[in-house]
Amino acid sequence: MTTNTTEKLSFSVADAVKEGLTQKEKSLPSWLFYDAEGDRLFQEIMNMPEYYLTNCEYDIFQKHEDDILSIISADVAGFNLIEFGAGDGMKTEILLKHFVKQNATFNYKPVDISENVLNLLQERMQKSIPDLDIEPINKEYFSALDALNEARKNPMVVLFMGGNIGNFEIQDAQSFVNQIANKLRTGDRIIMGFDMKKDPEMILSAYNDKQGITRQFNMNLLTRLNHELEADFDLEQFKHYPCYDPQTGTTKSFLISQKKQTVELKAIDTTIHFKAWEHIHVEISQKFDEDMIENMATAAGLVVEKYFYDEKEYFADVVMRK
C-alpha cells in the first residue's frame, strides 16, 4: 500500500529508516523485514531444508519435557511461567500441555506489546489446553516483570526462546540478560534458547539458500520502503550479501549498492546517497558456545544449571538460576 502523506505513516518506520540511512554506517532494523510479504517469505524460510533452527526446539521440548519440569518445579509449591515474545506459542504448547498433564502448579503469563497477538494466543491456548491457567500481559518486557514482582509469592521462570537473544549484538545481549536478572529474586530462573556454533558452511546456507528465498526476504525490505515511504530503490542495483565469522560466531546480512546512486524517499522528504559497494547492515544473528553462555550468565549473577540440546546439538535451551 502506497502512503501519500507523512501523517499517514507509521512514525516508527519513518523514524527508523531516516535515522538508519543517514548514519555514516548505514543500517536498518531487522523488524522492518516483517510486512505481510516478509511474513510470508519467512514462513517459506522456516520450511527450507537449510534452515535447521525450525525443528530444534521442538526436538528439545519433546525429548526433555520431564527434565525441564523437574528442574523448575523442584522444592517449590508453584511457579509463574513468564514468556517474552511468545508469538503463536506453537513450541511452548508442548511444554504447557505436559505441565498441565503432570498437574504442575503454575500459571502461564505470555508478555507482548501487541494486544492482538496476545488475544490470538489466549484464544488458541484455551481451545488447545482448556485447563491452562493463562494470564496475558500487554506490556513491555521489563515493565511486565516490575508489575509481576509487586504481588507475586511463587518463583518466576522467564522463557526467551527461539534463539532470539542472537538478534542482539553481544554487548546488547549481555545488557538484556542483566536487565532480566536484576528483576529476578534468588531462586528464580531463565530458560533461554541459543543457536550454537557449528559448521560455518551450514550456518551460512541458512542465510543464503540455493533457492534464493532469503535473498527475496532481504530485498523485500527495499520493496516495503518503496511502497510505504514512496522510495525509488532499484532492486536490481542492490546485492544481498550474508557472511559468517566462525571466530566470533557472528552472522551478518547486508544489502550492498552495486553502483554510485541516489535514492529518494519522498514520503519523508529524504535523499540518500550511496557510494559504489556501500552497504546497509540489515541483520545480525549471533551463534554461541558454552563458554560464551557461561560468561554471559556469570556477568548477570546467574548460574547455568542445565543445557538441553537437540539431537544434533545445533541448538541449546539453557536453564539459568539466580
Side-chain angles (χ1 to χ4, degrees):
M1 182 179 69
T2 301
T3 305
N4 293 317
T5 66
T6 303
E7 288 75 21
K8 292 181 181 178
L9 293 174
S10 163
F11 283 98
S12 60
V13 172
D15 292 345
V17 171
K18 191 164 187 175
E19 179 183 348
L21 293 185
T22 54
Q23 298 178 80
K24 183 178 180 181
E25 296 287 338
K26 294 180 174 63
S27 67
L28 290 170
S30 57
W31 56 262
L32 284 172
F33 286 133
Y34 299 99
D35 63 352
E37 177 65 3
D39 287 341
R40 185 191 71 77
L41 287 167
F42 189 66
Q43 292 301 313
E44 286 192 35
I45 287 172
M46 289 194 296
N47 291 319
M48 297 184 326
E50 296 94 337
Y51 197 75
Y52 58 86
L53 292 111
T54 304
N55 295 319
C56 286
E57 271 185 320
Y58 285 105
D59 182 43
I60 291 169
F61 289 170
Q62 287 166 347
K63 291 182 177 178
H64 301 292
E65 54 189 13
D66 276 323
D67 292 332
I68 292 171
L69 179 58
S70 294
I71 286 179
I72 64 179
S73 64
D75 303 321
V76 299
F79 59 92
N80 299 293
L81 190 65
I82 319 302
E83 182 166 21
F84 286 176
D88 62 11
M90 291 291 286
K91 288 179 291 190
T92 315
E93 185 177 351
I94 297 169
L95 288 183
L96 296 175
K97 279 185 174 179
H98 181 70
F99 292 178
V100 170
K101 186 178 179 181
Q102 297 301 312
N103 296 314
T105 302
F106 77 104
N107 48 36
Y108 174 55
K109 300 177 186 289
V111 179
D112 204 287
I113 58 172
S114 169
E115 185 176 6
N116 182 57
V117 164
L118 290 174
N119 289 339
L120 293 172
L121 176 64
Q122 182 172 22
E123 183 180 338
R124 202 176 70 75
M125 289 298 187
Q126 286 175 335
K127 289 179 181 177
S128 176
I129 318 173
D131 294 330
L132 178 66
D133 181 359
I134 180 172
E135 183 186 333
I137 301 175
N138 182 206
K139 290 181 181 288
E140 180 270 334
Y141 293 160
F142 302 115
S143 297
L145 293 183
D146 285 336
L148 287 165
N149 272 329
E150 289 177 6
R152 72 171 171 114
K153 296 179 181 178
N154 288 332
M156 187 183 291
V157 179
V158 177
L159 297 180
F160 192 56
M161 315 309 297
N164 290 325
I165 192 67
N167 295 333
F168 296 98
E169 300 272 1
I170 282 288
Q171 61 270 29
D172 295 330
Q174 183 69 66
S175 176
F176 182 78
V177 175
N178 290 350
Q179 287 183 74
I180 299 175
N182 287 340
K183 296 182 183 298
L184 300 184
R185 300 174 185 171
T186 300
D188 288 347
R189 290 178 170 89
I190 302 171
I191 304 179
M192 188 168 288
F194 292 90
D195 192 10
M196 305 300 284
K197 291 181 179 179
K198 56 187 74 65
D199 181 349
E201 291 183 3
M202 181 184 196
I203 290 173
L204 194 54
S205 291
Y207 299 89
N208 196 28
D209 61 288
K210 293 179 181 177
Q211 306 98 299
I213 299 171
T214 47
R215 179 190 176 278
Q216 291 178 56
F217 178 68
N218 278 256
M219 298 300 287
N220 180 66
L221 192 159
L222 300 185
T223 301
R224 177 181 185 178
L225 301 190
N226 283 349
H227 291 161
E228 296 188 23
L229 302 186
E230 297 178 41
D232 59 357
F233 284 98
D234 181 351
L235 273 60
E236 295 298 319
Q237 302 302 328
F238 283 85
K239 181 184 182 71
H240 160 60
Y241 180 74
C243 59
Y244 173 66
D245 181 347
Q247 183 177 27
T248 63
T250 305
T251 307
K252 292 185 177 182
S253 292
F254 301 92
L255 296 173
I256 297 177
S257 175
Q258 299 186 76
K259 69 173 188 177
K260 183 179 179 181
Q261 59 181 310
T262 298
V263 175
E264 301 285 344
L265 296 93
K266 294 181 182 177
I268 55 174
D269 192 26
T270 300
T271 301
I272 305 297
H273 301 285
F274 288 92
K275 294 176 282 190
W277 308 112
E278 187 175 4
H279 69 270
I280 308 171
H281 179 209
V282 293
E283 186 178 24
I284 185 168
S285 184
Q286 181 65 46
K287 312 307 174 186
F288 294 84
D289 57 33
E290 288 190 1
D291 286 344
M292 294 168 71
I293 295 168
E294 296 280 351
N295 290 339
M296 180 179 289
T298 300
L302 302 168
V303 175
V304 173
E305 287 189 294
K306 183 76 174 179
Y307 292 88
F308 290 106
Y309 282 102
D310 64 287
E311 185 177 13
K312 296 181 179 179
E313 298 194 356
Y314 291 164
F315 194 94
D317 282 311
V318 181
V319 184
M320 298 176 278
R321 178 176 50 83
K322 184 164 180 176

